[in-house]
Amino acid sequence: MKNYQDTETGQLFAFEDGVDPFTPYNRNIPVTLSEDIKPKPNDSYVWHQGDWIKQEDAPPGYTQPVSSVPAYNPAWMAYLLPYTAVHRDEDSGLNVTLDQVNGNSYAGNKLAEVVAILPLGTPSGLPALISYDGAIAIPQCDDFPSNVDGIRKLNEILCSLLLGGVHTEVLHSKGLVIGILQDASRLFAFIPSIHSNLRSNSASISERLSPLMFPRVLMMADIQEAYCQGQQVVKAIHNFSPFFLLNGYTAMVYRNNSDALNNLWISVEQLTEHLWVEHYVKNKRAFPVRVSKRHEYLKQKNQLNNIWAKQELLLLSKIISKECHEALRQVRDKRNNLVHDGIVPDSQTVETLWGALPELIEMAAEIRPLGMRKIWTGSANNWGIPARTNFDEWVELAKKL
């Protein structure tokens, strides 16, 4: 093993014996390497103009030097969950056989191949990429300069798919994947996961059986259609935050009822405010006299800023239906019980709220029907105990301990 030092940054590079880093075979290796190593005295030193200097001796406005080697096609990435196979058409599946799974002889590198794109509408003009195994990648460029920006945009994409009728799950910071577009055809991830293990044929047989033999299959056209509708919603409602709807839905699926109610209710309040400003206030004079009278009464009582008052006037002006208003009334009470008394809502309350949201979104965005109406979240997602149980051994073990 031999070490070299980058004269631009002071960074050390190690190569196996016999490897010549000056041979131009790898575009990721700096051409500014030197065999002369200048050791860093301690952590209080920084690299400046080819040598180490003390931090306090650095010139005003000093910043750490950056290598002149570009990062080729870096990407922020997230995976569609559960494990998903994205097909271009009916005949484009990999058709992995049980013998290939058992023998670990399937073409793992094909799982990472890019099969679809989604337009992002950003200054760079670069689209999102989707691989066969459901990885969504956006470029680490000036459009999304930090991991926070990457997470925000990926959640917007995932929420757009959800609005269009595709089950997706929220991306939190710990789930963000750093990767690249490799060989102009595949998405490579630097962070280990079941996806990367399957791509490299390094997953155990128990890990590879279910995703390879029984993946959720999505057609490229269905993904693009769902994304297009979801993007129309996101662009039409200026104060809509995709994260809260997506996070609330994910929490509902996993029966985290408190988080689900809180996040979905934030979406309700955003949608209520949009309907209030864009559909009620701007058309207030066109509504019947009884609406005006109720409006003036609530105004005199200084209650117009209350969410329930706005929802009542949206009902009276027939912007929302009686069924939607009644669902919101019931859920609002449960949400107040959660906030003020710590009473955790039941699943039915959350599902009632989820059922009312499509109408609010359709009215606010003036787009209908939304694909999200097809997503069902009933009791099938609620795991229960087996019909018969026996804990005799459990009891005996507890006695011994």
Side-chain angles (χ1 to χ4, degrees):
M1 186 75 69
K2 186 172 182 179
N3 290 330
Y4 296 82
Q5 190 166 45
D6 185 355
T7 56
E8 284 188 317
T9 65
Q11 183 181 0
L12 294 179
F13 289 78
F15 297 92
E16 297 288 346
D17 293 337
V19 175
D20 183 3
F22 301 107
T23 301
Y25 68 94
N26 191 330
R27 64 182 182 175
N28 294 312
I29 296 178
V31 297
T32 50
L33 295 184
S34 171
E35 296 183 45
D36 297 326
I37 306 298
K38 297 180 179 179
K40 185 177 183 179
N42 55 57
D43 288 340
S44 67
Y45 281 71
V46 295
W47 189 262
H48 179 63
Q49 295 182 350
D51 205 350
W52 298 106
I53 63 172
K54 289 187 177 181
Q55 178 73 57
E56 57 267 26
D57 295 334
Y62 170 83
T63 57
Q64 290 282 358
V66 177
S67 174
S68 58
V69 177
Y72 292 94
N73 306 308
W76 309 114
M77 294 167 46
Y79 296 111
L80 289 171
L81 299 173
Y83 190 92
T84 301
V86 180
H87 292 188
R88 286 183 177 275
D89 52 51
E90 296 291 345
D91 302 319
S92 68
L94 293 183
N95 298 320
V96 178
T97 67
L98 182 58
D99 287 342
Q100 288 175 327
V101 172
N102 288 334
N104 203 22
S105 59
Y106 64 93
N109 61 331
K110 290 187 176 296
L111 299 175
E113 288 187 357
V114 174
V115 297
I117 65 171
L118 298 174
L120 297 176
T122 52
S124 71
L126 295 170
L129 307 177
I130 303 179
S131 65
Y132 179 90
D133 61 359
I136 301 176
I138 60 175
Q140 286 187 31
C141 62
D142 290 341
D143 298 332
F144 317 107
S146 71
N147 59 348
V148 174
D149 299 302
I151 293 169
R152 176 190 56 77
K153 188 61 179 180
L154 286 167
N155 274 322
E156 180 190 306
I157 293 172
L158 293 168
C159 184
S160 295
L161 294 174
L162 177 67
L163 288 165
V166 176
H167 167 88
T168 55
E169 297 180 15
V170 72
L171 171 68
H172 293 295
S173 56
K174 66 179 181 180
L176 180 67
V177 178
I178 310 300
I180 58 171
L181 171 62
Q182 188 179 53
D183 300 329
S185 62
R186 296 189 299 273
L187 295 180
F188 176 81
F190 294 111
I191 298 176
S193 68
I194 184 60
H195 290 76
S196 58
N197 290 344
L198 289 170
R199 291 172 176 180
S200 61
N201 291 77
S202 58
S204 67
I205 187 170
S206 61
E207 289 177 315
R208 59 182 183 258
L209 180 62
S210 178
L212 293 180
M213 294 300 296
F214 310 106
R216 176 180 64 157
V217 175
L218 294 177
M219 304 306 296
M220 179 179 70
D222 294 335
I223 289 178
Q224 292 173 331
E225 181 182 359
Y227 175 73
C228 180
Q229 186 180 64
Q231 282 288 285
Q232 288 179 305
V233 171
V234 171
K235 293 174 181 177
I237 309 174
H238 70 278
N239 65 329
F240 177 70
S241 302
F243 170 82
F244 294 111
L245 182 71
L246 181 61
N247 197 35
Y249 169 76
T250 304
M252 176 178 63
V253 169
Y254 287 97
R255 291 300 190 260
N256 186 349
N257 293 336
S258 296
D259 276 359
L261 181 56
N262 276 331
N263 281 274
L264 293 179
W265 190 257
I266 291 174
S267 294
V268 167
E269 297 219 8
Q270 291 177 343
L271 294 166
T272 300
E273 187 63 27
H274 181 88
L275 290 170
W276 174 259
V277 172
E278 299 296 330
H279 291 251
Y280 179 83
V281 174
K282 290 184 177 180
N283 302 292
K284 187 172 62 173
R285 295 182 180 180
F287 297 128
V289 175
R290 64 191 183 94
V291 178
S292 300
K293 288 183 178 179
R294 184 59 176 168
H295 180 103
E296 289 304 315
Y297 174 80
L298 293 172
K299 183 177 180 181
Q300 291 173 5
K301 296 292 186 178
N302 293 320
Q303 294 177 331
L304 274 183
N305 287 330
N306 293 335
I307 191 70
W308 64 264
K310 293 179 179 179
Q311 289 172 349
E312 179 183 341
L313 290 171
L314 291 176
L315 168 66
L316 292 176
S317 56
K318 297 185 178 180
I319 294 174
I320 62 174
S321 67
K322 292 181 180 179
E323 293 77 13
C324 180
H325 180 266
E326 176 59 21
L328 295 178
R329 185 196 65 77
Q330 294 177 16
V331 173
R332 186 175 59 248
D333 291 341
K334 299 290 186 179
R335 196 254 180 179
N336 289 338
N337 291 339
L338 171 63
V339 173
H340 300 297
D341 301 318
I343 300 176
V344 177
D346 56 21
S347 296
Q348 183 59 51
T349 297
V350 179
E351 290 171 17
T352 297
L353 178 54
W354 178 255
L357 275 165
E359 179 179 324
L360 292 178
I361 298 173
E362 288 169 351
M363 288 299 300
E366 300 183 35
I367 298 170
R368 61 177 63 85
L370 281 179
M372 68 180 287
R373 286 187 178 274
K374 300 180 295 185
I375 296 179
W376 184 75
T377 59
S379 58
N381 291 323
N382 194 12
W383 304 284
I385 65 172
R388 294 187 178 89
T389 59
N390 186 310
F391 294 96
D392 291 347
E393 293 176 341
W394 196 311
V395 172
E396 290 302 316
L397 176 60
K399 289 179 179 178
K400 292 177 182 178
L401 293 176

